[in-house]
């Protein structure tokens, strides 16, 4: 079988979706790589420092879930509509996961129930607002003596061991996204007049969403 037969005909809509998904997937990858680097510096493991690493992991999960929404979009969904659908959930990981679950039915396998429940019922008690030192320290202080007894709602999450476990979950979602990409996205390869067609469509997309 020739290579030409393996590559689907050029479709600007599908190529644009592939481009959007790839940018978000790369964002997720960058966040995860940064957490690996930061967690190596064990001399700086204060609550405020760890909370910022925690936020990076959450941002990676968020980016991957938004990527999956685009990957699993219907053929009649425009790039603009599916992009706005992904973005409208903002940093709400539970809402993003629910949207992905609806689209993934009988198509891809997501997290186990155990990992899903831990993520949605516990891990996301920490939010992107924890990038601010004041937010984290206020939460920890509100726990009082519970922090010292290992019973703190927030301090039990913002610690090295839990963050490493959350990072594992983030990598699971990253791998799920990678496999879905290979299964459902067009390869990003263009030549000749198709490059111009794609660029025109991309400029139209930017104009439509006013990015």
């Amino acid at each position: 079988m020739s290579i030409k037969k393996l590559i689907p005909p050029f479709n600007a809509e599908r190529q644009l979706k592939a481009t959007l998904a790839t940018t978000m997937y790369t964002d997720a990858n960058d966040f995860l790589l940064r957490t690996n680097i930061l967690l190596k510096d064990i001399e700086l493991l204060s609550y405020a420092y760890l909370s910022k690493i925690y936020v990076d992991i959450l941002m990676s999960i968020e980016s991957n879930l938004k990527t999956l929404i685009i990957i699993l979009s219907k053929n009649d969904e425009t790039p603009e509509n599916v992009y706005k659908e992904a973005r409208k959930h903002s940093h709400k990981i539970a809402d993003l996961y629910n949207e992905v679950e609806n689209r993934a039915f009988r198509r891809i396998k997501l997290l186990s129930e155990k990992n899903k429940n831990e993520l949605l019922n516990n891990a996301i008690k920490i939010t992107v607002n924890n990038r601010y030192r004041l937010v984290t320290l206020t939460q920890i202080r509100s726990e009082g003596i519970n922090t010292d007894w290992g019973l703190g709602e927030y301090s039990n999450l913002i610690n090295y061991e839990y963050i490493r476990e959350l990072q594992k979950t983030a990598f699971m979602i990253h791998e799920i996204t990678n496999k879905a990409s290979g299964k459902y996205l067009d390869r990003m390869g263009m030549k000749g007049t198709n490059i111009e067609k794609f660029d025109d469509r991309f400029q139209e997309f930017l104009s439509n969403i006013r990015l």
Side-chain angles (χ1 to χ4, degrees):
M1 182 179 292
S2 67
I3 294 178
K4 187 175 181 180
K5 289 183 178 180
L6 292 174
I7 301 175
F10 174 77
N11 182 303
E13 300 296 292
R14 288 181 58 83
Q15 284 287 335
L16 180 50
K17 286 182 180 180
T19 298
L20 298 175
T22 299
T23 62
M24 289 184 174
Y25 178 83
T26 303
D27 287 338
N29 194 65
D30 290 345
F31 282 121
L32 282 178
L33 287 176
R34 187 161 67 181
T35 63
N36 269 340
I37 295 170
L38 293 174
L39 284 170
K40 289 179 180 178
D41 195 346
I42 60 175
E43 294 183 3
L44 293 172
L45 300 187
S46 67
Y47 284 122
Y49 181 83
L50 284 172
S51 66
K52 292 175 177 63
I53 300 174
Y54 201 116
V55 168
D56 273 355
I57 297 174
L58 292 179
M59 290 298 295
S60 174
I61 292 171
E62 174 190 323
S63 297
N64 272 313
L65 292 174
K66 289 177 177 178
T67 304
L68 283 168
I69 289 173
I70 295 174
I71 291 173
L72 299 171
S73 62
K74 298 177 181 178
N75 289 334
D76 59 357
E77 280 186 283
T78 66
E80 286 87 350
N81 286 343
V82 73
Y83 180 79
K84 289 177 181 177
E85 179 64 35
R87 289 291 302 272
K88 82 174 187 180
H89 297 293
S90 187
H91 301 301
K92 299 174 183 176
I93 288 177
D95 291 350
L96 285 165
Y97 197 95
N98 182 62
E99 179 67 29
V100 171
E101 243 183 355
N102 291 336
R103 292 171 180 267
F105 183 64
R106 292 183 177 176
R107 299 178 73 187
I108 62 171
K109 184 177 180 180
L110 299 176
L111 294 175
S112 67
E113 280 299 308
K114 178 182 177 181
N115 288 327
K116 170 190 168 183
N117 289 335
E118 179 61 30
L119 173 64
L120 301 185
N121 297 325
N122 199 24
I124 59 175
K125 290 175 183 176
I126 304 300
T127 71
V128 294
N129 289 330
N130 285 88
R131 66 189 183 275
Y132 300 116
R133 180 185 179 88
L134 180 62
V135 172
T136 297
L137 295 184
T138 300
Q139 290 172 338
I140 298 299
R141 180 172 292 183
S142 71
E143 295 177 350
I145 197 170
N146 284 334
T147 297
D148 300 325
W149 287 95
L151 301 174
E153 181 178 12
Y154 302 106
S155 56
N156 276 354
L157 299 177
I158 307 175
N159 64 70
Y160 181 85
E161 290 75 19
Y162 190 85
I163 286 174
R164 278 298 192 187
E165 289 302 311
L166 181 60
Q167 189 185 45
K168 290 178 184 177
T169 300
F171 272 110
M172 289 179 197
I173 297 174
H174 200 51
E175 181 59 25
I176 290 168
T177 307
N178 183 47
K179 290 181 179 178
S181 174
K183 186 174 182 180
Y184 292 109
L185 287 183
D186 282 3
R187 298 178 183 179
M188 293 180 62
M190 293 170 280
K191 61 180 181 179
T193 59
N194 289 340
I195 296 176
E196 185 177 349
K197 291 177 182 177
F198 174 79
D199 187 61
D200 288 344
R201 182 63 183 92
F202 186 64
Q203 293 304 319
E204 180 186 9
F205 168 83
L206 294 177
S207 176
N208 288 339
I209 65 168
R210 299 176 183 177
L211 189 63

